[in-house]
Amino acid sequence: MDGDRISAGGGKVTLQRLAVELGLSTATVSLALRDSPVVAEETRLRVQDVARARGYVANRGAASLRTARTNIIGVGLHDIINPSFTELLAALEEALSAAGKTVLLGVGQEDVTRQTRILGTLAEYRPDAFIVSPAAGTGVDDLRALAISGIAVVQVTREVEGSGFDFAGSDDVTGVSLAVSHLVALGHRRIAMIGGFDAASTGRRRLEGYQAGLAAHGLAYDPTLWASGRGTREHGRLAVEALLRLPDPPTAAVCFNDLCAFGALMGIQAAGLTAGADFSIVGYDDIGEAALWHPALTTVFTRIPEYGVAAAKLALARIADPQRPMERTVLEPHLVVRASTGPAKSAKHRAG
Amino acid sequence: MDGDRISAGGGKVTLQRLAVELGLSTATVSLALRDSPVVAEETRLRVQDVARARGYVANRGAASLRTARTNIIGVGLHDIINPSFTELLAALEEALSAAGKTVLLGVGQEDVTRQTRILGTLAEYRPDAFIVSPAAGTGVDDLRALAISGIAVVQVTREVEGSGFDFAGSDDVTGVSLAVSHLVALGHRRIAMIGGFDAASTGRRRLEGYQAGLAAHGLAYDPTLWASGRGTREHGRLAVEALLRLPDPPTAAVCFNDLCAFGALMGIQAAGLTAGADFSIVGYDDIGEAALWHPALTTVFTRIPEYGVAAAKLALARIADPQRPMERTVLEPHLVVRASTGPAKSAKHRAG
DNA sequence: GACGTGGATTAAATCGTTTAGCATGAGGCT
DNA sequence: AGCCTCATGCTAAACGATTTAATCCACGTC
């Protein structure tokens, strides 16, 4: 009933097939489908109608072979359960998909070997760019290897110093020192830092911010108050418990990230103390969950969604012009005061 | 110093180039790289050495053109900020990448139109399979369109009834009725349901579980106690506040998911009540955050990581054999009792 | 009627791989 | 010597699109 022109027609529907059916060349069909001005209006409409009726779906793999452009962006993160990376991924996906790009996802799990394998696989799909938050310990050469076939590389959140690739992230030194200043203003003098490790740029910078914050108020840096480690709930909890057992325990802590801080809040509660009153905690990132904790977490908003979008923009710009000078987008973080911090109790104030 | 054989050599390194350099045909090189037994051991090693030295990276797009296999799996979710979907995505990614597949990600944002566009774009990359959690309101035809060019389709979490595609998820009817029974056992008689809507299979099933749970204990279903809506923190909070304002308020609620439940916990606290003592809340999914709330959330563990892996397996199986009979993997959920539920206060017990 | 003009279409090359089928040559066997 | 087999490698044809340069054709102009 619905015409013989739109018959079932067996196999896959390709440009070839459409061309034959329309009595045109593949060249014309290809141009018509992409709204080229050189093909006559009438022809264009006819082609597009038939393509739609036939359920034609372009094979972008084939097209990419010719055009050397895939519209794929390889995104390499080391963790996606951590909500801060989830929020980043969501921002990246949205910005890229709005620009007609599609995300090919690889998760490296904070392991350079695995990361190398995963990114190597992604590279086989010839993404137009990589957006990477490199695993701790990633070297300049690991990243260079990605760029070897002319793929743009953008770093996000973390960076490999001296790699020379674009970067979008937050000013971690300033961020953590804001946190420290807040605690000092509340009267705290023994302030710990929980989480962070040397192999990641974020670890180094946040430690630097911690030290800078202390120094700015004339406080000495005491290495026993730095509970180095990964940014997990587990580490946060264990670390705060260890700190509380010290002979001269701190009264407050800044954390490497919010996850750590949540763990610390749990540890404090488990020790029978009340966060905000007995011990102050500042998180880092301000993920969605932070506002919902009990007590709500005082933290530093690093503007993850914004720098996610910035990273996407950097990638698009570099794809458009591979020769452009290296660019760094570093956002200024904001302190968000909630209920997990409060005035220092009248603990004995040590000199220094 | 390191030999003239490994010279810089300009442009992209392709099979062609390797073949020329080696004095072999592309056929031999291709076979050698894939460890085909028809090429001599010695040749194979020589080829692989040179390939490595040259930094050869196969172009999988080109290969796929020939083999009609991309090793890409299109994953379409409607939300990735929601931790339950993040956990799902992580499980999918891990299982697929272990099987040599790569995830091409699309986020539909609970909007059928957008979902159609996104999945259409993914389809252009000719994934070997789609794993989809369809947006509410998705019809059988929307899904069929995906399968049209022979791409395997697997549904996860949610399903479009009657679509005939494989499915992996949790038994929602049983799950919610477990939650209801738990509350009944604690003495609750007026039990609300927060969240869920008719356009998603999960919404229908969980409502059904709620009703079945009530019926199993001879309790009547009261439509004013179903606060239909999306599974968000916002909805959970508003819903519980509305329920508390009812002339004859409930003493407990089961929720569509954990996010809803978190919102409800906030609402209860904001109303000056204590969850677990004054009002009981049961969540759904048991995402990581659930154990950390204050009070820790009683919830139903739907085994998301397990059915994520199951979905990946179904996809791989269907790729291997497109003719195999449709399969549904439906896991039995477990109740996880924590602190957000407790005995009903001696409120007036209504008959019925 | 020759010729230029310009709009519409097409032929053919190309991208980088895979694979069916064929070619070659060295032994082994009768 | 003649024939077969086996191991190895090669030729050439796909796969499905894009793009450049060429062709075709109708029309107006002088």
Side-chain angles (χ1 to χ4, degrees):
Chain A
M1 268 306 172
D2 54 42
D4 37 14
R5 191 150 61 96
I6 308 183
S7 54
K12 329 251 169 224
V13 34
T14 67
L15 254 200
Q16 284 284 357
R17 233 177 251 279
L18 287 184
V20 170
E21 178 165 352
L22 283 154
L24 290 171
S25 70
T26 59
T28 305
V29 176
S30 170
L31 293 168
L33 287 176
R34 283 170 303 138
D35 292 320
S36 160
V38 316
V39 25
E41 172 80 359
E42 188 202 8
T43 312
R44 211 194 68 213
L45 293 175
R46 199 160 61 92
V47 169
Q48 296 183 344
D49 277 356
V50 173
R52 196 170 11 255
R54 287 305 216 154
Y56 172 71
V57 177
N59 183 326
R60 206 177 286 246
S64 301
L65 198 49
R66 187 65 228 270
T67 59
R69 180 120 306 170
T70 55
N71 286 325
I72 287 177
I73 307 290
V75 172
L77 304 178
H78 44 264
D79 182 6
I80 56 171
I81 291 286
N82 182 329
S84 69
F85 285 103
T86 307
E87 293 184 3
L88 175 61
L89 177 59
L92 287 172
E93 200 279 338
E94 192 170 343
L96 291 172
S97 116
K101 307 292 180 185
T102 305
V103 168
L104 196 63
L105 180 66
V107 182
Q109 311 214 357
E110 201 70 281
D111 174 328
V112 178
T113 309
R114 194 184 136 100
Q115 171 180 268
T116 302
R117 187 165 52 72
I118 300 275
L119 295 181
T121 303
L122 295 193
E124 296 187 354
Y125 294 99
R126 297 287 189 277
D128 295 337
F130 274 113
I131 298 180
V132 182
S133 174
T138 303
V140 170
D141 291 342
D142 297 312
L143 238 43
R144 288 270 163 77
L146 289 181
I148 208 164
S149 16
I151 302 177
V153 174
V154 173
Q155 306 173 91
V156 66
T157 309
R158 293 176 177 182
E159 67 186 312
V160 175
E161 272 117 352
S163 65
F165 294 115
D166 299 323
F167 169 74
S170 191
D171 180 347
D172 283 338
V173 178
T174 301
V176 178
S177 77
L178 282 176
V180 172
S181 295
H182 168 63
L183 291 171
V184 172
L186 287 169
H188 296 277
R189 291 297 173 269
R190 276 186 74 70
I191 299 170
M193 162 124 191
I194 298 178
F197 50 108
D198 204 54
S201 66
T202 41
R204 294 189 293 275
R205 302 251 174 89
R206 292 179 200 178
L207 176 61
E208 193 183 330
Y210 167 61
Q211 295 169 331
L214 292 175
H217 299 93
L219 297 172
Y221 165 59
D222 176 353
T224 63
L225 293 187
W226 179 37
S228 162
R230 300 188 49 167
T232 62
R233 305 187 199 248
E234 292 69 26
H235 176 69
R237 171 154 189 172
L238 295 175
V240 83
E241 288 173 348
L243 288 169
L244 290 173
R245 283 192 302 269
L246 286 179
D248 185 11
T251 62
V254 296
C255 296
F256 174 77
N257 63 12
D258 285 345
L259 241 38
C260 253
F262 299 148
L265 290 179
M266 290 172 63
I268 287 165
Q269 192 180 342
L273 301 176
T274 302
D278 305 315
F279 196 100
S280 289
I281 292 285
V282 185
Y284 204 82
D285 275 341
D286 195 20
I287 62 177
E289 196 179 330
L292 302 169
W293 267 74
H294 178 84
L297 184 68
T298 294
T299 187
V300 176
F301 178 42
T302 53
R303 303 162 71 185
I304 292 175
E306 285 172 71
Y307 71 63
V309 171
K313 285 210 179 112
L314 286 177
L316 296 172
R318 180 143 315 274
I319 290 168
D321 174 14
Q323 305 307 326
R324 71 199 292 275
M326 192 258 267
E327 186 175 341
R328 294 167 46 82
T329 303
V330 182
L331 302 183
E332 286 305 302
H334 306 314
L335 181 71
V336 180
V337 178
R338 298 204 182 91
S340 67
T341 48
K345 285 209 156 170
S346 57
K348 54 181 170 185
H349 290 255
R350 310 217 121 216
Chain B
M1 268 300 173
D2 55 38
D4 37 15
R5 191 151 61 97
I6 308 183
S7 55
K12 329 251 169 221
V13 34
T14 67
L15 256 200
Q16 283 283 358
R17 230 178 253 278
L18 288 184
V20 169
E21 179 165 349
L22 283 154
L24 291 170
S25 71
T26 59
T28 304
V29 176
S30 170
L31 292 168
L33 287 175
R34 282 170 303 140
D35 292 319
S36 160
V38 315
V39 25
E41 172 81 359
E42 188 201 8
T43 313
R44 210 194 68 212
L45 293 175
R46 199 161 61 92
V47 169
Q48 295 182 346
D49 278 355
V50 173
R52 197 169 12 254
R54 288 305 214 153
Y56 171 71
V57 177
N59 182 326
R60 206 176 287 246
S64 300
L65 197 49
R66 189 62 228 271
T67 59
R69 180 120 306 171
T70 55
N71 286 326
I72 287 178
I73 307 290
V75 171
L77 303 178
H78 44 264
D79 182 6
I80 55 171
I81 291 287
N82 181 330
S84 70
F85 286 103
T86 307
E87 293 184 4
L88 175 61
L89 177 59
L92 287 172
E93 199 280 337
E94 193 170 342
L96 291 171
S97 116
K101 308 292 181 185
T102 305
V103 168
L104 196 64
L105 181 65
V107 182
Q109 312 216 0
E110 201 69 281
D111 173 327
V112 178
T113 308
R114 194 184 137 100
Q115 170 180 269
T116 302
R117 187 165 53 72
I118 300 276
L119 294 181
T121 303
L122 296 193
E124 296 187 354
Y125 294 98
R126 296 287 188 277
D128 295 337
F130 274 113
I131 297 180
V132 182
S133 174
T138 303
V140 170
D141 291 343
D142 297 312
L143 239 42
R144 290 270 163 78
L146 289 181
I148 210 163
S149 17
I151 302 178
V153 174
V154 172
Q155 308 173 89
V156 67
T157 309
R158 294 177 177 181
E159 67 187 312
V160 175
E161 273 118 351
S163 64
F165 294 114
D166 298 324
F167 168 75
S170 192
D171 180 348
D172 284 339
V173 178
T174 301
V176 177
S177 77
L178 282 177
V180 172
S181 295
H182 169 63
L183 291 171
V184 172
L186 287 169
H188 295 276
R189 290 297 174 268
R190 275 187 74 71
I191 299 170
M193 161 126 193
I194 298 178
F197 49 108
D198 203 54
S201 67
T202 41
R204 293 189 293 275
R205 300 250 175 89
R206 292 179 198 177
L207 176 60
E208 193 183 330
Y210 167 60
Q211 294 169 333
L214 293 175
H217 299 92
L219 297 173
Y221 165 60
D222 175 353
T224 62
L225 293 188
W226 180 36
S228 163
R230 298 188 50 167
T232 62
R233 304 187 201 250
E234 292 70 27
H235 176 69
R237 171 154 190 173
L238 295 175
V240 82
E241 288 173 349
L243 288 169
L244 290 173
R245 281 195 301 269
L246 287 178
D248 184 11
T251 63
V254 295
C255 296
F256 174 76
N257 63 12
D258 286 345
L259 243 37
C260 253
F262 299 149
L265 291 178
M266 291 172 64
I268 286 164
Q269 192 180 344
L273 301 176
T274 302
D278 305 316
F279 197 100
S280 289
I281 292 285
V282 185
Y284 204 82
D285 276 340
D286 196 20
I287 63 178
E289 196 179 332
L292 303 168
W293 267 75
H294 180 82
L297 184 68
T298 293
T299 186
V300 176
F301 178 42
T302 53
R303 304 160 71 185
I304 291 174
E306 286 173 72
Y307 71 63
V309 171
K313 285 209 179 113
L314 287 177
L316 296 172
R318 180 144 315 275
I319 291 168
D321 174 13
Q323 305 307 326
R324 72 199 292 274
M326 191 258 266
E327 186 176 342
R328 294 167 47 82
T329 303
V330 181
L331 302 183
E332 286 304 303
H334 307 315
L335 181 71
V336 181
V337 177
R338 298 204 182 92
S340 67
T341 49
K345 285 208 158 172
S346 57
K348 55 181 170 184
H349 290 255
R350 310 217 123 218

